[in-house]
Amino acid sequence: MVANRELQPGEEIVTEMPFVVGPKACTYPLCLSCYTPWPPEPDNKPLCSKCGWPVCNQDCENSLQHKNYECQVFVQANEKFNVDAALDATSENGVPQLECITPLRLLLESERNVERWNKEVKNMEAHNKIRCKKPQWKSDHVNIVDYLRKRLKLGRFSEEYIQTACGILEINTFEVRTVKGFSARGLYPIVAMMNHSCVSNTSHSISPVDYRIRLRTTLKIPADGELYASYTHSLLPTMLRREHLLEGKHFACACSRCADPTELGTHMSTLKCNKCDNGIVMPLDSLDSESTWKCTHCEFSTNGHAVKKVFQIIQAEVDAAEAISGVDGADAIHERETIMKKYQSVLHPRHAFLSMLRHSLTQMYGRVDEYLLDDLPDVVLEHKVDMCHLLLQVLNVVEPGYSRVRGMTLYELHAPLLFLAKGQWNANVIDEARLKTKMIEAANILKEAATILCLEPSETSEGQIGLVAKESLVQLEQSINDL
């Protein structure tokens, strides 16, 4: 996908409704309409009165995406939902019976919306030749292909046709969030046409109300310039990003970021050398997972396999910490800080794992109980400022311009800067002129944050913060003028 004219940062390029929306693969038990975890209460297991599959209530039962799709098929086949099997705590890979829902919706929609299917969807990449050699293919054959053709009596869909539908969904869907914050997946054929880069120049937002996707630029793009999306998490080291893309999208990324051992100067994969004081350890060839990793200052070297083991160990600890949400209170902060301290002598200061933790911590300091903004001492405010600055050094390279995560980080930065400035002024450490300078600095940061976040749909949390930032900016500018 290329720009047919020069595009400015923040320009909306495409808006698109999903071809289909449904549960993600390996899903937990959920309502087939609103995707809320099911059952809502242990002693309340509501099922659709027509088909006997999980819904929350009458409204969800009557929602068109359930009522007009799988519900009719289940009724005709007299296929009921196995509640006991679905709620079996030993099921680690989700609920097998729910694996069919989104592929079934896609197949049914291919019959009902033939024009869009033929024009936009049917030729999307499914990578059947690669997928057929992987364990997931066999799993899909049992849980989806055979289930649809035999149990649901949908023999009109061939095995190949169903597997192609599974592949299209596996490779091309986007995560969507509901109004309540639960996740599902949506297929957006036009937006999915974009090529990948680990440094994208676009950003997409999906409305939690109607699941409409809006694609916009994050940078200035010249006429005939290519538009890129990122198919993976930008805050991952190269080795793990490439592994994720190879496993999930079936291609080996060789973008400029992946090809550079320094990750464009961010050093998000770089390790500290434990054999000398100033050395850092990087791969000689970052596109080779088995490449030698060598210190820049001494003779120490290791291999990619050993580095991967280190990354896997650290990632497991980071993932466990990231699973602790802010609603759990101070533990959410303590666990992340503990891991950062544990590995600060191992990882480069801007390493991907440390950046992930900083991303969470910058949003938690000021919001979590015991760490509310008004209660933070100067040393913690300064810590938050330092983390924001370090994170922005990374984001300015790998998520540049008007990216959502950069906007949120700028928003998190402005408040502690203001609190510190006012504290210094109250303590007579700085005079009024210096206070004004610091307030203007914070206002400029807040202005950019508001500009970015106001591009998000107003019904999203980021969009709401954008509106708050806009109002706060007016008040801050008034305070500056009053000095």
Side-chain angles (χ1 to χ4, degrees), residues 87-155:
L87 298 181
D88 185 350
T90 63
S91 180
E92 296 180 358
N93 297 316
V95 181
Q97 205 176 6
L98 292 176
E99 292 295 290
C100 75
I101 299 298
T102 310
L104 174 56
R105 289 180 181 177
L106 178 59
L107 294 167
L108 295 175
E109 188 66 11
S110 75
E111 295 179 325
R112 300 175 187 185
N113 196 344
V114 176
E115 182 179 357
R116 192 177 178 195
W117 168 263
N118 288 333
K119 183 179 179 182
E120 299 178 3
V121 183
K122 76 172 185 179
N123 293 322
M124 296 182 79
E125 190 59 76
H127 285 299
N128 284 355
K129 290 182 179 179
I130 299 174
R131 290 176 52 252
C132 70
K133 301 173 185 177
K134 295 182 177 290
Q136 187 62 43
W137 179 277
K138 295 179 180 178
S139 176
D140 287 346
H141 188 85
V142 173
N143 295 328
I144 302 172
V145 177
D146 281 352
Y147 191 79
L148 294 181
R149 285 171 53 82
K150 297 175 182 178
R151 295 286 290 271
L152 299 185
K153 304 177 177 64
L154 295 175

Side-chain angles (χ1 to χ4, degrees), residues 104-245:
L104 174 56
R105 289 180 181 177
L106 178 59
L107 294 167
L108 295 175
E109 188 66 11
S110 75
E111 295 179 325
R112 300 175 187 185
N113 196 344
V114 176
E115 182 179 357
R116 192 177 178 195
W117 168 263
N118 288 333
K119 183 179 179 182
E120 299 178 3
V121 183
K122 76 172 185 179
N123 293 322
M124 296 182 79
E125 190 59 76
H127 285 299
N128 284 355
K129 290 182 179 179
I130 299 174
R131 290 176 52 252
C132 70
K133 301 173 185 177
K134 295 182 177 290
Q136 187 62 43
W137 179 277
K138 295 179 180 178
S139 176
D140 287 346
H141 188 85
V142 173
N143 295 328
I144 302 172
V145 177
D146 281 352
Y147 191 79
L148 294 181
R149 285 171 53 82
K150 297 175 182 178
R151 295 286 290 271
L152 299 185
K153 304 177 177 64
L154 295 175
R156 67 181 185 272
F157 298 117
S158 70
E159 292 185 5
E160 182 182 5
Y161 198 73
I162 297 172
Q163 281 286 8
T164 297
C166 292
I168 287 173
L169 291 169
E170 178 186 321
I171 292 158
N172 298 286
T173 50
F174 291 76
E175 182 178 43
V176 303
R177 291 279 175 178
T178 68
V179 172
K180 295 181 180 178
F182 301 111
S183 64
R185 55 178 167 168
L187 182 63
Y188 301 90
I190 294 175
V191 176
M193 288 171 57
M194 281 192 300
N195 284 331
H196 163 83
S197 171
C198 289
V199 180
S200 67
N201 55 14
T202 66
S203 176
H204 71 267
S205 304
I206 299 176
S207 167
V209 177
D210 63 1
Y211 303 128
R212 177 181 291 277
I213 195 170
R214 289 177 172 83
L215 180 71
R216 57 180 172 80
T217 57
T218 54
L219 300 169
K220 184 176 181 179
I221 300 173
D224 298 323
E226 185 160 6
L227 302 172
Y228 291 105
S230 177
Y231 298 169
T232 187
H233 196 327
S234 63
L235 296 183
L236 278 176
T238 294
M239 184 183 288
L240 300 186
R241 283 197 322 278
R242 297 187 79 240
E243 184 180 75
H244 171 258
L245 290 168

Side-chain angles (χ1 to χ4, degrees), residues 268-461:
M268 292 180 70
S269 294
T270 301
L271 302 173
K272 289 183 177 179
C273 182
N274 62 2
K275 302 297 182 182
C276 66
D277 292 335
N278 300 313
I280 55 176
V281 181
M282 296 184 293
L284 298 180
D285 181 359
S286 55
L287 297 181
D288 179 3
S289 61
E290 298 180 358
S291 169
T292 297
W293 287 56
K294 195 172 186 317
C295 176
T296 56
H297 279 60
C298 73
E299 295 303 312
F300 173 76
S301 66
T302 185
N303 58 67
H305 182 68
V307 172
K308 183 177 179 179
K309 278 189 173 181
V310 172
F311 281 1
Q312 288 174 333
I313 291 169
I314 300 175
Q315 185 179 30
E317 294 187 42
V318 171
D319 288 347
E322 291 286 88
I324 305 172
S325 74
V327 297
D328 296 314
D331 284 349
I333 288 178
H334 296 160
E335 285 297 319
R336 289 169 172 82
E337 290 283 8
T338 298
I339 295 173
M340 285 186 66
K341 290 174 183 174
K342 180 178 179 180
Y343 291 110
Q344 65 184 5
S345 63
V346 177
L347 304 174
H348 188 280
R350 293 191 298 272
H351 195 280
F353 292 134
L354 299 181
S355 297
M356 285 183 212
L357 294 167
R358 287 190 191 102
H359 175 236
S360 298
L361 286 167
T362 54
Q363 296 184 60
M364 288 181 172
Y365 278 116
R367 289 192 174 91
V368 171
D369 286 344
E370 299 181 40
Y371 289 94
L372 298 177
L373 201 57
D374 289 335
D375 303 327
L376 296 182
D378 284 359
V379 65
V380 178
L381 290 171
E382 289 166 356
H383 178 48
K384 176 165 179 168
V385 168
D386 290 342
M387 287 195 296
C388 286
H389 281 311
L390 267 172
L391 185 55
L392 284 168
Q393 287 178 21
V394 168
L395 296 177
N396 288 341
V397 177
V398 303
E399 289 263 9
Y402 285 11
S403 65
R404 183 166 44 248
V405 63
R406 190 169 170 276
M408 286 297 297
T409 305
L410 288 167
Y411 180 77
E412 293 300 333
L413 174 59
H414 93 278
L417 287 175
L418 281 177
F419 272 73
L420 286 168
K422 290 178 180 178
Q424 290 169 346
W425 184 69
N426 288 333
N428 295 318
V429 174
I430 58 174
D431 60 17
E432 191 172 283
R434 183 62 179 149
L435 171 64
K436 187 171 184 177
T437 299
K438 287 178 174 287
M439 290 176 71
I440 291 172
E441 177 192 0
N444 289 334
I445 291 169
L446 181 59
K447 183 177 182 179
E448 187 176 5
T451 299
I452 296 170
L453 297 176
C454 282
L455 296 171
E456 299 295 322
S458 60
E459 58 266 27
T460 64
S461 58

Side-chain angles (χ1 to χ4, degrees), residues 23 30-35 53-55 65-66 70 98 101 105:
L30 45 60
C31 169
L32 296 183
S33 175
C34 70
Y35 311 112
W53 282 61
V55 292
Q65 68 175 347
H66 169 65
E70 67 272 359
L98 292 176
I101 299 298
R105 289 180 181 177

Side-chain angles (χ1 to χ4, degrees), residues 67-79:
K67 179 181 177 182
N68 290 351
Y69 289 84
E70 67 272 359
C71 183
Q72 297 176 4
V73 174
F74 294 145
V75 170
Q76 290 172 4
N78 194 29
E79 179 70 5

